[in-house]
């Protein structure tokens, strides 16, 4: 079916573009409210689970220990969950919201805070809550209940053994398509940005041919990583990528007025948290222009995150064996969101500072793939340092590209072989290659026909996200039922009852009598028996 979609893109790319645009318009017009409410519900759900006493449950046997340390675990989940998008949109999205906000004229002082608030909203708590719903469900049912590592397993409390029939297979197939289309979209974005960087540095035209070559070359890196497995490949590549991205961020922070950026970070976080309830439920009723903006940004992101959730959620579950539910949710929710906030503030506010000082700054006209390189050219450093920063950015994009591809390949492997967390190497090779081929073929077909085949692929990921949104809502119900079944097995902290001491005092008085003489034997026997029965009941409880 995936190959058939690719052939459609090759033989009739203009038709794909038309159909995709119509379907996308239908979904955003009629089901936008579902995306808005569901994403917020997922955030509330995971926070409630984290704060409840179910947070003490381990994703594995009670005595299990985490398989990976905190830093490798964070590096793998962060590079898999955000990846290329943070590099691609870190400069261009705040600039776009500043110049063209959903309401108001734009380019005002108030729009600076609103631009960062909307950027934080799209990359903050909601995306990771979506990932956590699926990751937590799969981790719990696979490692706690001994079921296969596949999305259908989370439906066992709802449909029982039918997860092994056609219903369960349909759920897993939806997860495969969401992963393939979401990853291919990211690979296409990565190819575009690397091509833009090479054009900026070396004057190489950023053509579709170059982008296809880049996609295939970087896919080869991902193939090597996924063939080496998690411990030798994905883990090490993720750590290298994390440190290089950190070095790039520190460079921009130091040379782009660090004091102003620190002040902006505090203001951005405060604005985001203060407006979070409003932005979480905002649908702009009666404002056609604002609703069109929301369809282009918020609904696109929510559909994209949902279509990515099988990939990221399954990968999070795979690397989180042995952690408690509270550790899993807190680590996957707050750590990457905090890192994303710092990253977006460093790059986004550095660009907004220059736009506020000069409304005619080239950043205003830069495309998403070139915006970061335009920013580097304006930093107060010598040209050689600016070029070095651009080279480092290209390397970071390439590694984000590779870590997303290898993690996604592993997930599709697991999905298509029944939930085995250690799939065969031939299968890992096949899916890693196919992901790059899907992105490359659609980019080439779009260039030949003049249509934007990649936008059709983006729409495909949103379409895949719509049915999977229902799947995630049902997962919340299934996980809640399963956790409630563990209520009696969870440790409970109780205050000692005053009746225990009172009962012991009564027993002693009965044995000796009111004046110190031995009392009746039958009364003593009954008191001791009651004491043993009550003590036994407390132990069982």
């Amino acid at each position: 079916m995936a190959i058939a979609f690719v052939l459609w893109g090759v033989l009739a790319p203009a038709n794909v573009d038309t159909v995709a645009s119509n379907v996308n318009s239908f979904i955003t017009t009629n089901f936008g409210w579902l995306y808005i409410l569901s994403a917020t519900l997922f955030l509330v759900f995971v926070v409630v689970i984290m704060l409840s006493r179910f947070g003490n449950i381990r994703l594995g046997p009670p005595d299990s220990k985490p398989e990976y340390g905190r830093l490798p675990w964070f590096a793998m989940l962060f590079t898999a969950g955000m990846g290329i998008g943070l590099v691609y949109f870190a400069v261009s999205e705040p600039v776009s919201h500043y110049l063209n906000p959903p309401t108001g004229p734009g380019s005002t002082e108030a729009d600076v805070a609103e631009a960062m608030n909307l950027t934080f909203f799209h990359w903050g708590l909601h995306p990771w809550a979506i990932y956590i719903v699926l990751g937590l469900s799969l981790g719990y049912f696979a490692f706690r209940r001994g079921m296969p590592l596949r999305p259908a397993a989370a439906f066992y409390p709802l449909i029982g053994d039918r997860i092994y029939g056609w219903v369960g297979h349909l759920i897993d197939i939806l997860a495969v398509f969401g992963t393939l289309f979401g990853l291919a979209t990211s690979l296409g974005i990565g190819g575009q940005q690397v091509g833009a960087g090479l054009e900026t540095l070396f004057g190489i035209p950023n053509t579709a041919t170059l982008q296809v070559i880049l996609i295939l070359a970087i896919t080869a890196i991902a193939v090597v990583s996924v063939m080496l497995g998690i411990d030798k490949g994905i883990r090490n590549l993720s750590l290298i990528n994390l440190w290089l991205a950190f070095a790039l961020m520190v460079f921009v922070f130091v040379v782009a007025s660090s004091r102003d950026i620190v002040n902006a970070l505090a203001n951005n976080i405060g604005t985001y948290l203060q407006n979070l309830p409003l932005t979480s439920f905002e649908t702009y009723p009666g404002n056609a222009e604002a609703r069109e903006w929301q369809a282009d940004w918020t609904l696109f992101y929510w559909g994209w995150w949902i279509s990515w959730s099988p990939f990221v959620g399954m990968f999070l579950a795979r690397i989180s064996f042995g952690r408690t539910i509270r550790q899993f949710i807190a680590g996957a929710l707050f750590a990457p969101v905090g890192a994303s906030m710092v990253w977006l503030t460093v790059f986004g506010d550095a660009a907004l500072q220059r736009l506020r000082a000069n409304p005619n700054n080239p950043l205003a006209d830069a495309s998403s793939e070139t915006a970061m390189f335009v920013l580097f050219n304006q930093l107060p450093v010598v040209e050689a340092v600016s070029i070095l920063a651009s080279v480092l950015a290209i390397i970071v994009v390439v590694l984000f590209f590779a870590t997303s591809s290898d993690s996604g390949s592993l997930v599709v492997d697991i999905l298509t072989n029944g939930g085995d967390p250690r799939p065969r190497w031939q299968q890992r090779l096949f899916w890693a290659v196919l992901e790059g081929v899907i992105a490359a073929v659609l980019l080439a077909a779009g260039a030949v026909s003049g249509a934007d085949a990649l936008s059709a692929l983006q729409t495909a990921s949103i379409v895949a996200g719509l049915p999977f949104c229902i799947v995630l809502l049902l997962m919340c119900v299934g996980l809640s039922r399963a956790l409630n079944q563990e209520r009696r097995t969870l440790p409970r902290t109780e205050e000692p009852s005053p009746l225990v001491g009172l009962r012991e005092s009564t027993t002693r008085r009965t044995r000796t009598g009111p004046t110190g003489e031995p009392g009746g034997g039958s009364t003593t026997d009954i008191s001791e028996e009651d004491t043993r029965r009550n003590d036994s009941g407390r132990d069982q409880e």
Side-chain angles (χ1 to χ4, degrees), residues 67-276:
E67 188 175 1
Y68 300 99
R70 287 188 179 90
L71 184 59
W73 182 67
F74 170 75
M76 287 189 286
L77 72 88
F78 183 73
T79 53
M82 292 290 103
I84 297 169
L86 271 179
V87 184
Y88 191 79
F89 290 106
V91 176
S92 63
E93 183 171 348
V95 169
S96 178
H97 297 334
Y98 171 71
L99 298 174
N100 302 292
T103 57
S107 302
T108 66
E109 287 298 316
D111 290 320
V112 174
E114 182 64 6
M116 295 307 301
N117 173 51
L118 293 172
T119 304
F120 275 24
F121 178 57
H122 293 150
W123 295 88
L125 296 171
H126 285 74
W128 286 98
I130 293 170
Y131 296 157
I132 289 170
V133 167
L134 193 137
L136 178 61
S137 298
L138 297 192
Y140 173 81
F141 284 102
F143 301 140
R144 183 80 174 180
R145 297 294 184 93
M147 304 187 72
L149 189 63
R150 39 185 292 235
F155 282 72
Y156 190 82
L158 302 179
I159 61 176
D161 289 336
R162 280 180 290 177
I163 66 170
Y164 301 107
W166 70 267
V167 177
H169 297 326
L170 179 61
I171 295 170
D172 293 342
I173 289 171
L174 287 174
V176 170
F177 277 110
T179 301
L180 284 176
F181 292 140
L183 276 172
T185 302
S186 292
L187 300 186
I189 287 175
Q192 289 176 337
Q193 190 165 32
V194 173
L198 294 178
E199 184 176 28
T200 301
L201 292 175
F202 307 111
I204 303 174
N206 187 19
T207 62
T209 302
L210 175 64
Q211 294 171 15
V212 168
I213 293 173
L214 290 171
I215 288 174
L216 297 179
I218 303 173
T219 298
I221 300 175
V223 167
V224 174
S225 175
V226 78
M227 294 299 291
L228 291 173
I230 291 183
D231 293 333
K232 295 181 180 180
I234 298 175
R235 175 184 178 275
N236 293 333
L237 199 60
S238 298
L239 282 170
I240 294 171
N241 194 12
L242 187 68
W243 285 115
L244 290 178
F246 178 74
L248 183 64
M249 183 184 69
V250 170
F251 163 73
V252 177
F253 172 76
V254 170
V255 302
S257 186
S258 55
R259 183 180 62 184
D260 292 339
I261 290 178
V262 171
N263 289 331
L265 178 62
N267 185 74
N268 293 342
I269 294 175
T271 302
Y272 169 66
L273 295 177
Q274 181 180 3
N275 291 280
L276 186 60

Side-chain angles (χ1 to χ4, degrees), residues 248-475:
L248 183 64
M249 183 184 69
V250 170
F251 163 73
V252 177
F253 172 76
V254 170
V255 302
S257 186
S258 55
R259 183 180 62 184
D260 292 339
I261 290 178
V262 171
N263 289 331
L265 178 62
N267 185 74
N268 293 342
I269 294 175
T271 302
Y272 169 66
L273 295 177
Q274 181 180 3
N275 291 280
L276 186 60
L278 175 62
T279 51
S280 296
F281 294 98
E282 182 64 82
T283 57
Y284 303 103
N287 190 333
E289 292 184 1
R291 296 189 67 180
E292 184 178 355
W293 175 94
Q294 187 177 55
D296 291 338
W297 286 99
T298 306
L299 298 185
F300 165 71
Y301 273 128
W302 278 193
W304 200 9
W305 302 140
I306 291 172
S307 69
W308 262 54
S309 63
F311 149 45
V312 181
M314 283 193 65
F315 185 71
L316 290 183
R318 173 62 184 86
I319 64 176
S320 299
F321 174 83
R323 298 191 180 275
T324 66
I325 288 179
R326 185 170 293 113
Q327 290 171 345
F328 176 81
I329 295 177
L333 187 62
F334 298 117
V337 170
S340 299
M341 286 179 172
V342 175
W343 176 275
L344 292 169
T345 298
V346 169
F347 289 95
D349 275 286
L352 293 177
Q353 288 172 10
R354 283 149 182 79
L355 269 179
R356 292 163 66 189
N358 176 20
N360 297 319
N361 192 292
L363 284 166
D365 299 320
S367 62
S368 296
E369 59 264 25
T370 62
M372 180 168 287
F373 302 110
V374 173
L375 174 64
F376 290 154
N377 290 334
Q378 299 184 23
L379 294 177
V381 294
V382 298
E383 184 179 2
V385 175
S386 175
I387 293 175
L388 183 61
S390 297
V391 172
L392 181 58
I394 292 174
I395 295 174
V396 169
V397 171
V398 169
L399 292 182
F400 267 131
F401 191 143
T403 52
S404 295
S405 180
D406 58 15
S407 305
S409 300
L410 179 66
V411 166
V412 176
D413 297 336
I414 295 172
L415 281 170
T416 52
N417 73 355
D420 182 3
R422 292 178 175 82
R424 297 176 180 177
W425 70 267
Q426 296 94 333
Q427 201 171 2
R428 297 202 302 268
L429 175 64
F430 172 78
W431 288 112
V433 171
L434 185 61
E435 287 163 9
V437 169
I438 289 175
V441 168
L442 287 173
L443 270 177
V448 170
S449 67
D452 188 359
L454 188 60
S455 68
L457 191 58
Q458 291 174 326
T459 301
S461 68
I462 297 176
V463 173
L466 179 62
F468 214 80
C469 180
I470 307 299
V471 170
L472 290 178
L473 289 171
L474 293 175
M475 276 188 178

Side-chain angles (χ1 to χ4, degrees), residues 500-516:
V500 177
L502 182 63
R503 187 184 301 114
E504 292 176 352
S505 176
T506 303
T507 302
R508 286 195 299 271
R509 287 200 307 271
T510 305
R511 284 173 178 167
T512 59
T515 60

